[in-house]
Amino acid sequence: MPVQTAIQHRRGTASSWTSTNPTLAAGEIGFESDTGKFKIGTGSTAWNSLAYATASPLTTKGDLYTYGTADTRLAVGSNGDTLVADSSATTGLRWQSNYAAGKNKIINGDFNINQRGFTSTTTDATYGFDRFYVRFLGDGTNTYSAESFSPGTAPVSGYEGKNFARLVTTGQTSAAVLTQFAQRIESVRTLAGQTATISFWAKAASGTPKIAAEIQQGFGSGGSPSTAVNTSAGSVTISTSWARYSLTVSIPSISGKTIGTTNDGYTQLALAVSAGSDYASRYSSIGIQTNTFDIWGVQVESGNTATAFQTATGTLAGELAACQRYYLKSYAQATAPGTATNTVGNTGYSAISATATNNRWNVRFPVNMRGTPTITIYSTSTGTSAKIFNEQTATDIDGLTQYIGESGFHIYANSGTITAGQQLLAHYVASAEL
């Protein structure tokens, strides 16, 4: 019958091996009974000079087995990180935050673009930083303002944010109260039927209030359903220090729905900082809250993990162009529309006729807009809307627009005294917001 043989290796505690310091035979195994580690002899090297035999260095889910000068552990990266080759790293590999352009569906999430020259408002349905608008419903007073970080105080190390949004709520009591900060992302198809992660940095002036998030799907003119579909993403509790918060939401499929034909469908992210009982089911019953809320670094991306913050395009020029698809102006970026005595960047024309309406000129947009925009023209001298400035007579004359499209429009003089050769100047704003 077969003989069963049990093989037992030399064993002892780590301290006993160290104190005796034997020289193991070539291939002989010495086992530390209290640590689980072992060494393999060479026939000439004493125990204390032997390296431990290679065992898996991995200790945590997601660790990688790598090699530099010896087998070693590369600790798992943070959620959403990307593994990249790096010859300067010990193992030739390292984890890097995911800064892929296009992952963030929110445009201007760092509030760097402020074409309207927005400073502060208490008015409902007002746009401030590009692409973001507020809703102030019910009673009380709400204030939305543009704030700036002092250099080095932005909440993300290595990302020097310039601006942040501030919402202040006071005196609210009614069930119809809603203080909401939102952006409509073009197309109801965006992230439809997917899991998405919403993330942002926030802090409060006092206490531990909540911020709730909602995804709203609008199907556009002629679409069905005609009313928007609202999906609660839950809420987070914030503190008085900047911190990043994230929420994961399953965005409903649009299967069986009808999408309108005028390109005004949207997927909206809304952050609510105060909500009366009328909105309890939509905004996680956060209730009416009196506080000052600061927000920065808004991101919406596919998947169930908040990856490193990145603007939608990843570049300053790209982000401005993305904003200009919805709102643009002839003024310099630092100049608010309607500013008087401002000729920088204006559009102009040298009159060819004394008949006012014969003097018209074409304006081409720097980017194609989302749809046919609403145009407002301004005198370069007085900043008065619906006026053109005659530079030679130093007077404003009536101005109108025509042939408005996604790529440009015409301006023409509607009345006033004009002589051929006189310079007609105007600024303009074009808006195609959702």
Side-chain angles (χ1 to χ4, degrees), residues 331 335-342 377-379 381-385 427-429:
Y331 296 91
T335 304
T339 298
T341 316
N342 186 280
I377 61 173
Y378 299 89
S379 161
S381 176
T382 64
T384 305
S385 62
H427 274 296
Y428 71 88
V429 164

Side-chain angles (χ1 to χ4, degrees), residues 152 236 286 293 334-335 343 349 372 412:
V236 296
I286 63 171
F293 299 83
T335 304
T343 56
Y349 176 76
T372 301
Y412 68 95

Side-chain angles (χ1 to χ4, degrees), residues 160-424:
E160 277 297 318
K162 178 182 177 183
N163 304 316
F164 62 94
R166 173 166 289 172
L167 297 167
V168 181
T169 58
T170 60
Q172 298 174 320
T173 60
S174 77
V177 159
L178 178 63
T179 305
Q180 181 193 78
F181 183 62
Q183 180 175 136
R184 288 185 171 181
I185 304 165
E186 186 173 342
S187 182
V188 71
R189 291 183 172 89
T190 303
L191 298 176
Q194 298 183 46
T195 296
T197 296
I198 301 159
S199 58
F200 54 91
W201 277 260
K203 72 180 182 73
S206 62
T208 54
K210 297 178 183 293
I211 296 179
E214 177 191 76
I215 295 293
Q216 183 179 87
Q217 294 168 290
F219 293 86
S221 302
S224 176
S226 57
T227 56
V229 174
N230 301 315
T231 303
S232 172
S235 66
V236 296
T237 300
I238 68 173
S239 71
T240 55
S241 298
W242 282 109
R244 195 183 195 193
Y245 302 92
S246 66
L247 293 162
T248 300
V249 59
S250 295
I251 301 179
S253 167
I254 58 174
S255 176
K257 306 296 195 296
T258 300
I259 299 175
T261 58
T262 56
N263 195 33
D264 57 351
Y266 62 86
T267 302
Q268 174 178 275
L269 167 68
L271 300 177
V273 299
S274 187
S277 57
D278 289 354
Y279 295 95
S281 61
R282 288 175 56 182
Y283 293 106
S284 302
S285 299
I286 63 171
I288 292 174
Q289 302 185 114
T290 298
N291 216 314
T292 296
F293 299 83
D294 294 339
I295 297 172
W296 180 85
V298 183
Q299 182 158 283
V300 175
E301 60 189 307
S302 179
N304 59 9
T305 299
T307 64
F309 173 75
Q310 177 61 283
T311 55
T313 65
T315 68
L316 290 174
E319 210 70 4
L320 174 60
C323 291
Q324 288 175 327
R325 178 169 171 79
Y326 308 93
Y327 180 94
L328 57 82
K329 62 182 182 178
S330 57
Y331 296 91
Q333 287 303 302
T335 304
T339 298
T341 316
N342 186 280
T343 56
V344 175
N346 73 87
T347 179
Y349 176 76
S350 182
I352 61 171
S353 172
T355 302
T357 55
N358 287 344
N359 296 291
R360 63 189 65 212
W361 66 97
N362 180 39
V363 176
R364 303 293 293 181
F365 297 141
V367 300
N368 270 27
M369 302 197 75
R370 177 193 62 81
T372 301
T374 299
I375 305 291
T376 304
I377 61 173
Y378 299 89
S379 161
T380 58
S381 176
T382 64
T384 305
S385 62
K387 296 292 184 181
I388 297 169
F389 181 60
N390 186 322
E391 192 171 38
Q392 274 65 48
T393 64
T395 58
D396 285 349
I397 59 177
D398 292 339
L400 293 175
T401 59
Q402 65 179 171
Y403 307 134
I404 301 171
E406 297 173 10
S407 60
F409 67 102
H410 284 191
I411 298 178
Y412 68 95
N414 187 45
S415 64
T417 301
I418 299 174
T419 300
Q422 291 179 337
Q423 301 301 306
L424 308 180

Side-chain angles (χ1 to χ4, degrees), residues 95-222:
W95 293 104
Q96 175 175 286
S97 296
N98 179 4
Y99 293 109
K103 68 176 182 178
N104 189 0
K105 305 307 178 185
I106 293 293
I107 297 172
N108 198 32
D110 64 352
F111 310 131
N112 190 60
I113 310 298
N114 185 10
Q115 293 189 86
R116 293 172 177 83
F118 158 72
T119 56
S120 181
T121 185
T122 57
T123 304
D124 175 43
T126 299
Y127 278 88
F129 292 119
D130 276 48
R131 301 294 300 122
F132 288 91
Y133 76 102
V134 289
R135 295 306 314 270
F136 296 154
L137 305 180
D139 60 2
T141 300
N142 298 275
T143 304
Y144 168 35
S145 63
E147 307 294 333
S148 298
F149 291 112
S150 299
T153 64
V156 181
S157 176
Y159 193 115
E160 277 297 318
K162 178 182 177 183
N163 304 316
F164 62 94
R166 173 166 289 172
L167 297 167
V168 181
T169 58
T170 60
Q172 298 174 320
T173 60
S174 77
V177 159
L178 178 63
T179 305
Q180 181 193 78
F181 183 62
Q183 180 175 136
R184 288 185 171 181
I185 304 165
E186 186 173 342
S187 182
V188 71
R189 291 183 172 89
T190 303
L191 298 176
Q194 298 183 46
T195 296
T197 296
I198 301 159
S199 58
F200 54 91
W201 277 260
K203 72 180 182 73
S206 62
T208 54
K210 297 178 183 293
I211 296 179
E214 177 191 76
I215 295 293
Q216 183 179 87
Q217 294 168 290
F219 293 86
S221 302

